[in-house]
Amino acid sequence: MKLLQNVINYKINIITGDELLKYAKQFNVQLTKADASKIAAYLRGKNLNIFSDSDRAKAIKDVAKITSPEIAKEINKVLVQFTK
């Protein structure tokens, strides 16, 4: 399980805007290309552990600051889907 978590976290930490947009569509989350690019730029290189509730919550708060609270809520849905 730890290996799978590492792979998912690695992917989140190198994600591009286009990839994030693809995942958002896959999980029925409304996201613009511009917002996806901003969020991906924030996520890249952060060494974020999306399996940690506190790490994910901090990241979502930061995403809310660079986009909007509504978009952050939607991105949280995507991240939570990755943890299942």
Side-chain angles (χ1 to χ4, degrees):
M1 186 64 169
K2 186 74 171 165
L3 176 64
L4 188 57
Q5 288 180 0
N6 287 342
V7 169
I8 292 169
N9 282 329
Y10 175 75
K11 183 61 181 167
I12 292 297
N13 287 305
I14 63 165
I15 199 162
T16 65
D18 289 337
E19 289 170 331
L20 184 57
L21 198 55
K22 179 183 78 171
Y23 291 126
K25 286 180 183 174
Q26 185 177 341
F27 294 116
N28 296 319
V29 171
Q30 298 298 317
L31 193 62
T32 66
K33 189 171 178 105
D35 286 335
S37 294
K38 287 180 197 174
I39 295 165
Y42 166 77
L43 292 174
R44 271 194 305 275
K46 288 283 189 229
N47 285 329
L48 174 65
N49 178 5
I50 66 167
F51 295 90
S52 163
D53 290 338
S54 61
D55 282 3
R56 193 173 61 251
K58 182 188 179 322
I60 293 303
K61 285 179 185 177
D62 291 343
V63 167
K65 290 176 188 174
I66 59 175
T67 58
S68 72
E70 294 80 19
I71 291 173
K73 194 173 179 180
E74 294 294 306
I75 290 300
N76 191 44
K77 289 179 188 177
V78 174
L79 294 179
V80 167
Q81 288 297 321
F82 285 136
T83 64
K84 290 184 178 181

